[in-house]
Amino acid sequence: MRKTALPAVVLALGALLGACDGETVSFADARALADGTTSAIDGKAAKFATDVTAGAMRSKSQGQARVARAGTALTMTTDFLGEPLELRLIDKVVFAKVPESAREDVPGGKPWVKVSADGADPFSQVAGGSIDQLAKQNDPGRALDQIRRAGTLVESGHAELDGVSAEHYRLDLDVAALGGDLPAGLSAEAVGELGGKLGKLPMELWLDGAHQPLRVVLDLAPVLAASGVPDSAQARITTRYTDWGTQAEIQAPPPDQIGEIPAG
């Protein structure tokens, strides 16, 4: 009995280990990953929380996003500029709720303004690019589009994330292939000034069993390294998504609440 029992146990363990080693993920390349995940979340809403770290600096945001192929709508609050700031992204337009201390600069003291990276008004010129990126970087649809156009799948597997079984993907984003749609507030001019030193940005993506994002991490350390910051410096954007399928009423501010700051 002893002579036959040991080989049987070894075979059984080998079968179990083989099943774990051979466990496959749903997507074999970056494009399939982006397309499959986009289909899984189209028309759905989720809550999100984002941490942005750069060395000792840290910023937090939270809100809700409703994803659609035509464009994501989201509402969020962030601690940008040292005090809470409310933003809404509707039909690719970013609205910012002006802090009460600055409403005297808005005709009629209206609480909302449109913000754009290339706006001529003083508010947009000072913070328009940063605010535009703050809103859009929380859009999972945009991240998936960047993966589709510029991503290369480096590694994939299974992992437990906050007690949930997840598929884990590691990717590289080719900065040159992103064109003008650069993440994390980067501009084409800034990338150009780095003289080609910035090649790829690492990204990680975790999906639940329905192929919905649970977490997206964009590693910005290569940006710091290309800028001459010591290798030990860390910078990343981490966005966590929860409650996929939640109800989210996300609308633009009422027209009579939107002011227009005169161009400076």
Side-chain angles (χ1 to χ4, degrees):
M1 290 293 291
R2 291 180 180 177
K3 291 182 180 180
T4 58
L6 184 58
V9 171
V10 170
L11 287 173
L13 288 174
L16 288 172
L17 291 173
C20 293
D21 291 341
E23 192 175 16
T24 60
V25 293
S26 300
F27 307 108
D29 59 71
R31 186 173 189 86
L33 170 62
D35 289 346
T37 307
T38 298
S39 296
I41 64 176
D42 186 32
K44 294 182 181 178
K47 298 176 183 178
F48 65 83
T50 299
D51 286 345
V52 180
T53 59
M57 297 176 61
R58 185 172 183 179
S59 176
K60 291 187 175 184
S61 305
Q62 54 279 320
Q64 289 184 312
R66 186 177 64 245
V67 184
R69 294 182 188 274
T72 293
L74 65 81
T75 179
M76 60 180 283
T77 56
T78 178
D79 55 12
F80 180 69
L81 297 178
E83 60 180 307
L85 178 66
E86 185 177 348
L87 303 175
R88 296 184 191 178
L89 174 63
I90 311 289
D91 294 332
K92 302 181 181 179
V93 176
V94 178
F95 299 89
K97 194 168 188 178
V98 181
E100 292 188 10
S101 59
R103 287 184 191 173
E104 62 185 17
D105 298 326
V106 184
K110 295 184 178 181
W112 291 90
V113 293
K114 293 181 181 180
V115 181
S116 64
D118 56 358
D121 63 277
F123 194 68
S124 289
Q125 288 185 337
V126 171
S130 299
I131 289 175
D132 185 73
Q133 283 288 346
L134 272 171
K136 293 178 179 177
Q137 74 188 13
N138 294 291
D139 175 5
R142 183 189 184 207
L144 292 169
D145 186 55
Q146 291 173 336
I147 290 173
R148 182 181 295 107
R149 290 185 290 112
T152 299
L153 184 60
V154 175
E155 185 181 358
S156 61
H158 289 257
E160 186 172 295
L161 182 67
D162 299 330
V164 176
S165 178
E167 292 186 2
H168 182 201
Y169 296 88
R170 296 180 186 271
L171 307 108
D172 281 338
L173 293 184
D174 184 347
V175 173
L178 288 172
D181 185 22
L182 296 167
L186 294 173
S187 65
E189 292 77 11
V191 172
E193 290 175 0
L194 295 176
K197 296 179 182 178
L198 182 60
K200 299 179 186 294
L201 296 177
M203 176 183 278
E204 293 182 74
L205 174 64
W206 287 260
L207 303 179
D208 65 13
H211 302 155
Q212 300 167 146
L214 293 171
R215 186 178 299 179
V216 181
V217 178
L218 181 64
D219 187 353
L220 302 176
V223 179
L224 300 184
S227 303
V229 178
D231 293 340
S232 59
Q234 295 184 351
R236 63 179 55 196
I237 300 174
T238 302
T239 304
R240 297 169 175 84
Y241 294 96
T242 60
D243 299 321
W244 282 103
T246 190
Q247 296 297 315
E249 294 295 329
I250 304 172
Q251 299 178 350
D256 62 356
Q257 294 296 304
I258 302 172
E260 191 170 325
I261 302 177

